[in-house]
């Protein structure tokens, strides 16, 4: 078969498909809720066909649920043209590849065992993306600045129909998602009380993802959106409380600052950020945050007074230590 016949245009000249290895049986049913497992390799269209990502190198195939707002929806279109065990190469122009760097960042963070929740992008949608200059990976930053056509080499492993697997929270409908949030919240609180902070964080994070998924369909800053935002912020602050317990203070500062930038009246976020600053010896920032707490919520006066007393004592001890250290030097 000549290359010309192998190259199928999937109803558009912005995608070209070449089958590298034929699959078996009929094309599976790709209905909403079906779980698709596949390997992927992403390559630049340069002479070297530079590889950007390769799930086989990571050693774990990718899974997506059809119709579930996966950020790179073009993959759903490509996969639904394939048979089981088929390997195909798709050339996609930049109308389809613009968001790839964001998706890649999430996938890489998961592969590295880090938190895939991209708070900035979830919180304020695509517009905010450009306010953050770096994705933390040079090759992705380059692609972000200058989107390029890409090759996706996909290998379809299996398709599970919705009735054939237990549906996890990310495969739920919006209504189901919102029902699951208080359950996750409660489980998180119980785990937190039991001192199982990592597991509690997992529950809070799942809750946040459920809320954010529903929130993307609402109009920003309108009442339904704000209600969801309030729920998400509550869970984020619980998440930060766990981070405090495992001494991840800089991450607390990052998440609370996100909330404060969006909602400058959140006393609890200022309070938690103040506590985190205190732990990493940012005295001026801690004092500033605590004084904002008192402005916003005078009822917290007693608790803040206690923290300020601890801060004063610590700074005094630190200054004494520094004095002793330097005394011996001169």
């Amino acid at each position: 078969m000549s290359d010309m016949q192998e190259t199928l245009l999937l109803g558009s000249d912005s995608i070209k498909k070449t089958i590298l290895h034929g699959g078996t049986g009929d094309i599976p049913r790709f209905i909403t809720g079906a779980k698709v497992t596949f390997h992927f390799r992403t390559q630049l269209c340069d002479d070297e066909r530079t590889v950007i990502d390769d799930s086989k190198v990571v050693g774990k195939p990718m899974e997506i649920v059809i119709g579930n707002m996966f950020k790179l929806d073009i993959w759903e279109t490509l996969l639904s043209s394939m048979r089981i065990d088929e390997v195909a190469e798709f050339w996609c122009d930049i109308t389809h590849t613009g968001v790839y760097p964001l998706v890649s960042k999430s996938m890489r963070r998961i592969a590295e065992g880090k938190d895939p929740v991209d708070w900035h992008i979830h919180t304020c949608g695509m517009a905010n993306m450009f306010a953050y200059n770096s994705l933390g990976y040079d090759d992705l930053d380059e692609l972000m600045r200058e989107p390029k056509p890409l090759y996706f080499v996909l290998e379809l492993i299996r398709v599970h129909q919705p009735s054939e697997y237990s549906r996890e929270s990310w495969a739920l409908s919006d209504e189901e998602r919102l029902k699951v949030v208080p359950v996750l919240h409660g489980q998180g609180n119980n785990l937190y009380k039991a001192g199982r902070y990592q597991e509690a964080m997992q529950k809070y994070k799942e809750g946040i993802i459920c809320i954010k998924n529903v929130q993307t369909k609402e109009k920003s800053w309108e009442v339904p959106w704000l209600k969801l935002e309030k729920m998400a912020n509550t869970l984020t602050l619980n998440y930060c409380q766990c981070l405090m317990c495992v001494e991840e203070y800089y991450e607390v500062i990052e998440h609370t600052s996100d909330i404060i930038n969006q909602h400058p009246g959140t006393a609890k976020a200022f309070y938690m950020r103040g506590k985190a600053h205190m732990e990493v010896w940012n005295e001026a920032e801690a004092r500033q945050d605590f004084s904002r707490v008192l402005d916003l919520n005078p009822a917290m006066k007693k608790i803040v007074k206690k923290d300020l007393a601890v801060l004063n004592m610590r700074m005094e001890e630190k200054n004494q230590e520094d004095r002793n250290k330097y005394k011996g030097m001169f």
Side-chain angles (χ1 to χ4, degrees):
M1 195 195 262
S2 76
D3 275 353
M4 283 310 290
Q5 280 167 290
E6 276 191 290
T7 301
L8 310 167
L9 301 178
L10 293 182
S12 110
D13 52 6
S14 57
I15 303 169
K16 296 190 180 77
K17 172 179 178 180
T18 310
I19 295 172
L20 305 178
H21 179 280
T24 54
D26 295 329
I27 290 183
R29 288 166 61 235
F30 290 88
I31 62 171
T32 299
K35 180 151 83 172
V36 186
T37 308
F38 60 100
H39 272 296
F40 74 94
R41 188 168 71 241
T42 307
Q43 293 172 293
L44 292 177
C45 299
D46 55 7
D47 295 340
E48 291 77 43
R49 288 284 185 98
T50 306
V51 175
I52 302 173
D53 292 299
D54 188 339
S55 61
K56 286 194 170 167
V57 171
V58 175
K60 200 169 176 233
M62 179 76 188
E63 280 183 351
I64 62 173
V65 174
I66 297 289
N68 197 50
M69 296 215 14
F70 177 64
K71 284 198 195 117
L72 196 66
D73 50 5
I74 187 60
W75 275 7
E76 287 191 13
T77 309
L78 306 182
L79 288 161
S80 51
S81 76
M82 297 176 73
R83 293 177 164 76
I84 301 295
D85 293 331
E86 180 181 316
V87 181
E89 175 185 272
F90 298 89
W91 172 90
C92 296
D93 81 5
I94 59 177
T95 52
H96 303 297
T97 61
V99 292
Y100 184 76
L102 300 179
V103 176
S104 173
K105 176 188 175 174
S106 286
M107 294 189 299
R108 288 181 188 187
R109 286 182 70 87
I110 292 167
E112 291 162 10
K114 293 189 189 137
D115 177 359
V117 177
D118 209 324
W119 306 78
H120 306 310
I121 288 158
H122 276 297
T123 317
C124 349
M126 302 301 276
N128 211 25
M129 223 165 65
F130 302 103
Y132 294 88
N133 301 325
S134 175
L135 293 171
Y137 302 94
D138 292 346
D139 56 343
L140 299 182
D141 287 342
E142 178 64 29
L143 262 185
M144 198 78 209
R145 275 194 297 273
E146 201 184 320
K148 297 182 172 79
L150 295 171
Y151 282 111
F152 297 119
V153 179
L154 305 180
E155 177 186 341
L156 183 58
I157 299 170
R158 61 182 167 268
V159 178
H160 277 128
Q161 296 308 322
S163 55
E164 295 171 348
Y165 67 95
S166 79
R167 294 169 64 184
E168 294 162 45
S169 58
W170 42 264
L172 305 174
S173 72
D174 287 353
E175 212 172 310
E176 291 170 316
R177 276 197 180 113
L178 290 181
K179 277 192 188 134
V180 118
V181 170
V183 178
L184 291 166
H185 192 165
Q187 290 172 331
N189 290 354
N190 290 336
L191 288 162
Y192 173 79
K193 284 182 197 131
R196 290 155 65 181
Y197 305 123
Q198 295 292 350
E199 291 165 78
M201 279 155 74
Q202 199 49 47
K203 295 293 178 191
Y204 293 142
K205 196 160 70 182
E206 275 178 51
I208 293 163
I209 293 171
C210 284
I211 295 166
K212 292 294 178 190
N213 268 326
V214 178
Q215 196 185 23
T216 52
K217 297 167 197 165
E218 299 290 353
K219 246 184 133 157
S220 293
W221 299 99
E222 289 192 354
V223 170
W225 185 92
L226 282 167
K227 274 189 175 157
L228 292 166
E229 182 78 350
K230 203 172 170 192
M231 285 164 68
N233 287 347
T234 302
L235 287 181
T236 303
L237 289 169
N238 286 13
Y239 183 86
C240 286
Q241 190 63 56
C242 295
L243 286 171
M244 290 292 290
C245 296
V246 296
E247 301 181 6
E248 292 288 351
Y249 305 120
Y250 289 105
E251 210 183 316
V252 172
I253 292 168
E254 193 184 320
H255 294 321
T256 47
S257 299
D258 276 354
I259 293 177
I260 288 163
N261 292 338
Q262 291 275 314
H263 309 278
T266 317
K268 210 168 164 191
F270 276 107
Y271 177 68
M272 201 164 287
R273 189 172 74 173
K275 296 271 284 186
H277 276 309
M278 188 163 121
E279 293 296 341
V280 294
W281 302 101
N282 296 341
E283 184 188 6
E285 288 88 342
R287 288 188 189 283
Q288 212 172 354
D289 279 348
F290 286 145
S291 98
R292 282 297 291 135
V293 174
L294 296 177
D295 293 343
L296 291 165
N297 187 354
M300 290 179 76
K301 190 172 177 180
K302 215 169 165 180
I303 183 169
V304 169
K305 221 172 149 184
K306 227 156 121 183
D307 285 307
L308 283 169
V310 173
L311 179 63
N312 291 336
M313 199 171 73
R314 279 199 194 167
M315 294 321 295
E316 189 42 54
E317 280 172 13
K318 187 170 188 292
N319 294 339
Q320 190 54 51
E321 267 173 38
D322 290 348
R323 279 198 291 273
N324 294 345
K325 201 158 65 190
Y326 295 123
K327 211 159 57 186
M329 287 170 68
F330 300 108

